[in-house]
Amino acid sequence: MGLIEKEFVKFMERFDACTFELVLNGQKYLVGEGTPEFSVTFHKIPSMTDLLTSTSIALGEAYMDGDLVIKGDLYHALNSFLGQLGKFSTDTKKLKKLIFSSNSKSNQKKEVSSHYDIGNDFYSMWLDESLSYSCGYFKTEQDTLYEAQCNKVDRILEKLLLKEGMHLCDIGCGWGFLLIRAAKKYKIRGTGITLSTEQKKKFEEKIAKEHLEDYLDVKLLDYRDLPSLGIKFDRVVSVGMVEHVGRKDYTTFMECVKNCMKPGGLFLLHFISALQEHPGDAWIKKYIFPGGVVPSLREIINIAGDMRFYTLDVESLRRHYNRTLLCWNRNYQEHRDEVVQMFDERFARMWELYLCACAATFNNGIIDLHQVLFTNDVNNDLPMNRWY
């Protein structure tokens, strides 16, 4: 075994909390103890420089390029590896521009568009018919993905205590499922904002199809421009959007929400969270969510308190997101050949890696999903009991 192989095997042996077979040039090595659960074959060994600069980029690109092949279930393998994420190397100095990108309006629009404007046809392949691109809520083992997404939205709307005629703002409204359901069920007025032209176009088509023009509108708008609308909303909701804001601007985000709310109004924030503050994974930032940062629950609660947002309720949906992602991956695999035709094999491998890796990180508790319900200052008119 040559020097390069020796260094690489030694590096991979750090991930010995799981047992797997490492294959290099036809030679097999056992990492961990016992019977291997899967095998990892490298047709080309990443350089040690790349592995130490960013283990996740080096291994992620090797998988994308087909240089790394996993024999066995991809999710299971990633679930085992990512449970040892603390053993990954990341040189934040070398990767400063990637990990700490600009929070300017123009750059954030560019970053958001790079993900959500891939194409509505692409997302339609593997999301459910509601086009909900966030965590579902599984009431039973038998719930379909669509039922779970309906459950999630209904749960949010119940928490918001909506009444006919109220004005609801959805920050990061996606393709509009939540607002459409709210308008039809509660006869509220709704305003959605997004930075994705593809999402706005699809949402507007759905508004017209459902004849909800008198109830709903959608704007291509940065959250920082919300106060300029001059509207005071009764309710505000944001699902899976604050992860794009960036740590330096969480306070600005919360200020903008407060400035566009009526006193005593309800604000529900649904977001991927973490136990501690972390700048984010380098591979995810490079290929999937440029500029994305996962907030810690405690920093959001801390900022909210400084602004007299009163915390009414906090709920974790971590395991629901794990199941949601596994559903998405099953759908994705059914359409994988179409993805390859639409893009290429490298893109297809990148997205299956993303979906399975995210499912694994939720399962391992590396990230969480929280719904937090706030009131804008004190509200003594709400039910005293937990109503949902």
Side-chain angles (χ1 to χ4, degrees):
M1 182 168 52
L3 180 60
I4 293 175
E5 287 84 358
K6 284 182 180 179
E7 286 185 336
F8 183 67
V9 170
K10 184 178 180 181
F11 180 87
M12 294 299 292
E13 284 176 341
R14 67 173 64 183
F15 302 107
D16 59 357
C18 58
T19 303
F20 64 97
E21 185 179 69
L22 177 64
V23 183
L24 304 175
N25 300 321
Q27 184 68 40
K28 297 178 180 179
Y29 306 90
L30 184 67
V31 177
E33 297 180 358
T35 304
E37 299 175 34
F38 53 90
S39 72
V40 182
T41 299
F42 282 86
H43 297 301
K44 180 181 177 182
I45 298 175
S47 75
M48 288 305 300
T49 299
D50 290 342
L51 285 163
L52 294 174
T53 299
S54 171
T55 304
S56 81
I57 290 179
L59 296 182
E61 289 180 342
Y63 184 83
M64 290 161 60
D65 293 334
D67 294 330
L68 185 167
V69 176
I70 292 175
K71 185 178 180 180
D73 183 72
L74 177 60
Y75 166 69
H76 176 68
L78 290 170
N79 196 40
S80 301
F81 264 106
L82 295 178
Q84 307 173 74
L85 199 59
K87 299 177 182 178
F88 280 45
S89 296
T90 305
D91 189 331
T92 53
K93 289 184 178 179
K94 284 186 179 179
L95 300 172
K96 184 177 180 180
K97 288 185 178 180
L98 173 66
I99 293 177
F100 305 103
S101 60
S102 168
N103 289 348
S104 69
K105 289 181 182 179
S106 61
N107 191 58
Q108 286 200 333
K109 186 179 188 313
K110 178 183 175 183
E111 289 176 340
V112 168
S113 295
S114 73
H115 186 87
Y116 296 97
D117 286 342
I118 291 173
N120 293 332
D121 290 344
F122 169 68
Y123 286 105
S124 297
M125 288 181 188
W126 51 274
L127 296 179
D128 66 287
E129 52 264 49
S130 74
L131 281 180
S132 295
Y133 190 24
S134 58
C135 173
Y137 186 85
F138 294 84
K139 287 185 178 181
T140 71
E141 290 289 333
Q142 291 73 40
D143 281 350
T144 65
L145 179 58
Y146 176 72
E147 288 169 337
Q149 294 296 359
C150 291
N151 294 341
K152 182 268 300 292
V153 168
D154 289 344
R155 195 170 181 83
I156 288 173
L157 300 181
E158 287 169 8
K159 289 182 181 184
L160 288 171
L161 280 176
L162 294 170
K163 296 178 182 178
E164 184 174 344
M166 283 185 172
H167 201 166
L168 169 64
C169 179
D170 186 351
I171 303 173
C173 60
W175 290 276
F177 182 63
L178 184 148
L179 282 178
I180 288 173
R181 201 164 176 88
K184 293 170 75 171
K185 191 171 183 178
Y186 295 95
K187 292 183 170 58
I188 54 91
R189 290 178 296 142
T191 297
I193 70 166
T194 178
L195 290 177
S196 168
T197 55
E198 287 287 305
Q199 288 183 338
K200 180 177 184 289
K201 178 184 176 183
K202 186 70 174 180
F203 190 3
E204 287 174 333
E205 290 172 1
K206 291 164 77 174
I207 290 171
K209 183 179 179 180
E210 299 282 352
H211 305 293
L212 293 171
E213 294 91 340
D214 293 338
Y215 290 93
L216 302 177
D217 70 310
V218 56
K219 301 180 185 300
L220 201 64
L221 192 75
D222 189 283
Y223 73 88
R224 284 164 283 200
D225 295 322
L226 256 178
S228 69
L229 295 178
I231 302 172
K232 293 293 183 180
F233 296 98
D234 301 282
R235 303 286 190 261
V236 175
V237 63
S238 183
V239 177
M241 177 271 172
V242 77
E243 300 92 319
H244 298 287
V245 165
R247 180 153 281 120
K248 291 187 294 184
D249 283 339
Y250 294 152
T251 298
T252 300
F253 173 78
M254 298 292 276
E255 284 175 345
C256 289
V257 173
K258 188 172 184 71
N259 288 338
C260 71
M261 288 187 70
K262 292 179 181 177
L266 290 172
F267 168 39
L268 186 139
L269 184 61
H270 170 121
F271 64 104
I272 298 171
S273 60
L275 285 172
Q276 298 175 324
E277 299 72 38
H278 189 272
D281 177 75
W283 182 82
I284 288 284
K285 283 175 176 282
K286 183 173 182 179
Y287 289 103
I288 307 296
F289 286 115
V293 180
V294 174
S296 69
L297 177 62
R298 64 187 178 190
E299 65 186 323
I300 295 297
I301 297 292
N302 186 50
I303 293 168
D306 290 341
M307 295 184 185
R308 292 185 64 83
F309 273 120
Y310 281 74
T311 304
L312 297 186
D313 190 74
V314 179
E315 182 176 20
S316 168
L317 302 183
R318 176 181 63 83
R319 291 163 70 189
H320 292 270
Y321 217 159
N322 168 263
R323 184 173 296 180
T324 301
L325 280 151
L326 293 177
C327 287
W328 287 344
N329 185 54
R330 279 197 297 272
N331 292 345
Y332 181 83
Q333 293 303 326
E334 290 176 2
H335 294 277
R336 195 182 186 283
D337 290 344
E338 297 169 60
V339 174
V340 173
Q341 290 176 3
M342 187 179 288
F343 299 98
D344 57 29
E345 176 65 24
R346 192 173 194 263
F347 180 94
R349 291 176 69 85
M350 178 177 76
W351 271 79
E352 66 189 6
L353 181 61
Y354 155 59
L355 292 171
C356 290
C358 285
T361 51
F362 278 108
N363 190 60
N364 279 282
I366 295 164
I367 50 178
D368 206 322
L369 188 289
H370 280 99
Q371 281 185 2
V372 186
L373 184 65
F374 303 104
T375 57
N376 180 22
D377 218 308
V378 174
N379 186 331
N380 292 326
D381 297 324
L382 300 173
M384 290 175 65
N385 299 323
R386 220 170 184 240
W387 57 86
Y388 55 88

